[in-house]
Short mmCIF file of all heavy atoms in Angstrom, two decimals:
data_model
loop_
_atom_site.label_atom_id
_atom_site.label_comp_id
_atom_site.label_asym_id
_atom_site.label_seq_id
_atom_site.Cartn_x
_atom_site.Cartn_y
_atom_site.Cartn_z
N PRO A 41 -5.94 -11.31 -4.98
CA PRO A 41 -6.96 -11.68 -3.92
C PRO A 41 -6.89 -10.88 -2.67
O PRO A 41 -7.86 -10.79 -1.93
CB PRO A 41 -6.65 -13.17 -3.64
CG PRO A 41 -5.80 -13.61 -4.73
CD PRO A 41 -5.10 -12.43 -5.29
N VAL A 42 -5.72 -10.29 -2.39
CA VAL A 42 -5.53 -9.55 -1.11
C VAL A 42 -5.40 -8.04 -1.33
O VAL A 42 -5.19 -7.30 -0.37
CB VAL A 42 -4.32 -10.07 -0.33
CG1 VAL A 42 -4.58 -11.51 0.12
CG2 VAL A 42 -3.05 -9.97 -1.11
N ILE A 43 -5.49 -7.57 -2.55
CA ILE A 43 -5.22 -6.14 -2.84
C ILE A 43 -6.21 -5.25 -2.11
O ILE A 43 -5.84 -4.16 -1.63
CB ILE A 43 -5.18 -5.87 -4.36
CG1 ILE A 43 -4.41 -4.59 -4.61
CG2 ILE A 43 -6.58 -5.77 -4.98
CD1 ILE A 43 -2.97 -4.70 -4.39
N ASN A 44 -7.48 -5.64 -1.98
CA ASN A 44 -8.42 -4.82 -1.29
C ASN A 44 -8.19 -4.71 0.21
O ASN A 44 -8.62 -3.77 0.87
CB ASN A 44 -9.91 -5.35 -1.52
CG ASN A 44 -10.39 -5.08 -2.94
OD1 ASN A 44 -10.02 -4.06 -3.51
ND2 ASN A 44 -11.14 -5.99 -3.49
N MET A 45 -7.49 -5.69 0.75
CA MET A 45 -7.08 -5.61 2.13
C MET A 45 -5.79 -4.83 2.33
O MET A 45 -5.60 -4.13 3.28
CB MET A 45 -6.87 -7.09 2.65
CG MET A 45 -6.08 -7.17 3.90
SD MET A 45 -5.82 -8.85 4.54
CE MET A 45 -5.21 -9.76 3.16
N LEU A 46 -4.89 -4.92 1.35
CA LEU A 46 -3.62 -4.27 1.41
C LEU A 46 -3.62 -2.76 1.20
O LEU A 46 -2.92 -2.02 1.90
CB LEU A 46 -2.63 -4.89 0.45
CG LEU A 46 -2.07 -6.26 0.82
CD1 LEU A 46 -1.14 -6.75 -0.31
CD2 LEU A 46 -1.27 -6.18 2.07
N ILE A 47 -4.37 -2.31 0.20
CA ILE A 47 -4.39 -0.86 -0.12
C ILE A 47 -4.73 -0.01 1.09
O ILE A 47 -3.96 0.92 1.41
CB ILE A 47 -5.33 -0.56 -1.31
CG1 ILE A 47 -4.84 -1.38 -2.51
CG2 ILE A 47 -5.43 0.93 -1.55
CD1 ILE A 47 -4.01 -0.69 -3.51
N PRO A 48 -5.80 -0.30 1.83
CA PRO A 48 -6.07 0.53 3.01
C PRO A 48 -4.95 0.48 4.04
O PRO A 48 -4.59 1.48 4.66
CB PRO A 48 -7.33 -0.06 3.60
CG PRO A 48 -8.00 -0.73 2.44
CD PRO A 48 -6.90 -1.24 1.59
N ALA A 49 -4.31 -0.70 4.26
CA ALA A 49 -3.24 -0.83 5.22
C ALA A 49 -2.04 -0.04 4.78
O ALA A 49 -1.33 0.53 5.62
CB ALA A 49 -2.89 -2.30 5.40
N ILE A 50 -1.80 0.05 3.47
CA ILE A 50 -0.66 0.78 2.96
C ILE A 50 -0.91 2.29 3.00
O ILE A 50 -0.03 3.05 3.39
CB ILE A 50 -0.35 0.32 1.50
CG1 ILE A 50 0.16 -1.13 1.51
CG2 ILE A 50 0.69 1.24 0.85
CD1 ILE A 50 0.09 -1.78 0.10
N VAL A 51 -2.12 2.68 2.62
CA VAL A 51 -2.44 4.10 2.49
C VAL A 51 -2.76 4.78 3.80
O VAL A 51 -2.23 5.88 4.09
CB VAL A 51 -3.57 4.28 1.47
CG1 VAL A 51 -4.08 5.70 1.42
CG2 VAL A 51 -3.15 3.81 0.10
N ASP A 52 -3.64 4.14 4.62
CA ASP A 52 -4.10 4.78 5.85
C ASP A 52 -2.89 5.15 6.74
O ASP A 52 -2.07 4.32 7.03
CB ASP A 52 -5.04 3.84 6.60
CG ASP A 52 -6.35 3.64 5.89
OD1 ASP A 52 -6.65 4.36 4.97
OD2 ASP A 52 -7.08 2.74 6.33
N ASN A 53 -2.86 6.37 7.16
CA ASN A 53 -1.83 6.94 8.02
C ASN A 53 -0.48 7.02 7.34
O ASN A 53 0.26 7.97 7.63
CB ASN A 53 -1.69 6.13 9.32
CG ASN A 53 -2.95 6.03 10.08
OD1 ASN A 53 -3.69 6.99 10.16
ND2 ASN A 53 -3.23 4.88 10.65
N ASN A 54 -0.08 6.13 6.47
CA ASN A 54 1.24 6.14 5.93
C ASN A 54 1.48 7.25 4.89
O ASN A 54 2.54 7.88 4.89
CB ASN A 54 1.61 4.78 5.30
CG ASN A 54 1.63 3.69 6.35
OD1 ASN A 54 2.05 3.90 7.44
ND2 ASN A 54 1.15 2.52 6.00
N LEU A 55 0.48 7.54 4.08
CA LEU A 55 0.65 8.62 3.06
C LEU A 55 0.56 9.98 3.65
O LEU A 55 0.97 10.98 3.03
CB LEU A 55 -0.32 8.45 1.91
CG LEU A 55 0.02 7.41 0.82
CD1 LEU A 55 -1.04 7.44 -0.25
CD2 LEU A 55 1.40 7.68 0.23
#
Side-chain angles (χ1 to χ4, degrees):
V42 295
I43 202 70
N44 288 326
M45 163 181 47
L46 284 178
I47 300 266
I50 293 164
V51 172
D52 292 350
N53 302 321
N54 296 323
L55 279 182

